[in-house]
Amino acid sequence: MSSGAYRDAAIRDLIAAADQVAWVSGREPWREFLLGLTRGRWPRRHGWPVVPRLSMPWQDTVSAERPGWRMRAANLRYDDGDGPDRDEFAFAVDYQLCHRCEIGWVEQPYTLPAYQRRGLAAAGLAALRAENPGFTWHTLGCHIDGSSAFWDSVGIGVAGGYRRSSVCEHVTAGG
């Protein structure tokens, strides 16, 4: 089997497993307590948060770029028959949920160029929607040129349609 065939099979398996996610909360109870006590003045975060790499192909962790947001990511692992197994990041999207308003926002989806237009982003977004039934879905609207076709495509039949919307009063934009 060729290297491309191994990769194609691994991508199909990854898409099929989008509902099997490893979670890390990323909560820091003592830090949250102190922030509440000091009304957000202390302790301030310096630098980027540490985002772990988990053993499952799909993972849900803290966002590396938006405080208070989550990141859904896919890591592609496959044996191409030519040495050690391949293990590489393939897709990620930041998201935020408001359970009071039943609204979800997704922002900055990214798929490595080698894996674009293969269904990873659609599978990741579909898994988030399945985990949060009844939610409407939006973006903050900070899109790169040419991304409207992507949002139109993944927004078909989705409540909210991934149209631009500011976050509600219960959450912060975080970046």
Side-chain angles (χ1 to χ4, degrees), residues 50-143:
V50 175
V51 178
R53 181 106 181 233
L54 305 176
S55 61
M56 294 283 287
W58 288 90
Q59 66 180 50
D60 197 288
T61 61
V62 296
S63 168
E65 296 185 23
R66 289 178 175 78
W69 284 55
R70 305 285 303 164
M71 179 178 69
R72 179 63 56 96
N75 299 304
L76 188 64
R77 294 179 178 97
Y78 64 98
D79 178 359
D80 64 4
D82 198 24
D85 287 357
R86 298 286 183 118
D87 183 7
E88 55 193 352
F89 159 83
F91 164 77
V93 65
D94 287 346
Y95 74 95
Q96 175 67 274
L97 301 173
C98 177
H99 291 280
R100 289 185 207 170
C101 298
E102 291 190 328
I103 300 173
W105 294 266
V106 293
E107 194 62 22
Q108 200 171 343
Y110 179 76
T111 306
L112 275 181
Y115 306 121
Q116 290 177 356
R117 293 175 184 78
R118 305 290 296 275
L120 287 173
L125 295 171
L128 284 173
R129 292 192 309 269
E131 292 164 16
N132 300 283
F135 276 56
T136 60
W137 292 90
H138 299 280
T139 71
L140 297 179
C142 305
H143 305 305

Side-chain angles (χ1 to χ4, degrees), residues 30-44:
W30 280 106
R31 184 173 182 279
E32 292 171 13
F33 172 75
L34 291 172
L35 282 169
L37 198 62
T38 64
R39 296 185 184 162
R41 291 188 298 271
W42 189 81
R44 299 214 181 239

